[in-house]
Amino acid sequence: MINHPFLCLVPILLIIAQSAEGCYTSIFAFGDSLTDNGNLLALSAPRIIHQGRLPNGETYFHHPTGRCCDGRLIVDFLAQQFGLPIPPPYTEVSKEMTMDIRAGVNFAVAGARALDTDFYDKIGIIDPVTNDTLRVQLDWFKHMLPSICGPEKGKFAFLQAPSPTKSK
Ligand SMILES: *[C@@H]1O[C@H](CO)[C@@H](O)[C@H](O)[C@H]1NC(C)=O
């Protein structure tokens, strides 16, 4: 991941403030390896992904979680600082359809690019790591919006988001 030439997607944290006291109630995270807490690992063959092996994860979680880090990421520290649960990876949420997503979801995928895959296809660059670009992550988020803030809100149901596709 570290040598990947397109690791340029700056993590974007969308923090939704709701209460009048200025507290934060949710964190929705987008980005790449600086923010991914398990999505690429869930979408890939684990043996080829370094974040699926120690020492990644050893100092805090005591097992590899998919983070490109031996401890927590900035998004984890932010969540804990705000008194929120660490936002679960989207791949976990989309597998367990009953998870409570009101406190947020982490959509980041290590190696993700900001520009669409089409752009790279046209210039003949194939991404061997992931095609889950920023647009793809935002689409996942958009599909989840009814569960987050629509009439179904609070039922913890996650009905509409597409399953992420596993890469070979
Ligand atoms: C990304 O998409 C291209 C075609 O647009 C494909 O050749 C490549 O294998 C895909 N990469 C992954 C990781 O799925």
Side-chain angles (χ1 to χ4, degrees):
M1 234 41 46
I2 282 161
N3 297 322
H4 197 273
F6 303 109
L7 251 191
C8 55
L9 184 57
V10 174
I12 300 166
L13 294 177
L14 174 60
I15 298 173
I16 299 180
Q18 282 181 340
S19 93
E21 300 89 51
C23 295
Y24 296 101
T25 59
S26 315
I27 297 179
F28 294 93
F30 305 87
D32 63 5
S33 54
L34 295 174
T35 305
D36 182 358
N37 67 351
N39 288 317
L40 183 67
L41 184 61
L43 295 169
S44 310
R47 67 183 188 288
I48 60 160
I49 304 276
H50 71 81
Q51 55 269 47
R53 297 192 299 259
L54 294 172
N56 294 277
E58 76 179 353
T59 61
Y60 188 79
F61 300 99
H62 308 301
H63 63 92
T65 60
R67 289 168 174 81
C68 297
C69 179
D70 67 350
R72 285 165 286 178
L73 301 169
I74 299 290
V75 66
D76 302 320
F77 285 109
L78 283 174
Q80 291 178 331
Q81 189 62 38
F82 293 136
L84 296 170
I86 289 175
Y90 172 71
T91 45
E92 202 177 298
V93 170
S94 65
K95 214 167 49 190
E96 303 195 18
M97 311 285 269
T98 53
M99 280 177 82
D100 186 347
I101 55 172
R102 289 176 301 175
V105 176
N106 188 334
F107 297 93
V109 179
R113 299 174 298 194
L115 296 176
D116 291 339
T117 304
D118 283 0
F119 172 83
Y120 294 96
D121 283 350
K122 277 188 204 126
I123 55 175
I125 296 176
I126 303 292
D127 192 332
V129 179
T130 181
N131 284 326
D132 296 325
T133 60
L134 181 57
R135 182 188 301 275
V136 172
Q137 296 174 30
L138 288 169
D139 283 344
W140 293 340
F141 174 64
K142 280 188 227 159
H143 280 97
M144 287 179 71
L145 278 175
S147 305
I148 296 164
C149 53
E152 294 297 303
K153 172 186 162 191
K155 293 198 178 151
F156 320 150
F158 170 51
L159 304 169
Q160 303 189 27
S163 289
T165 45
K166 226 174 160 97
S167 50
K168 285 137 257 159

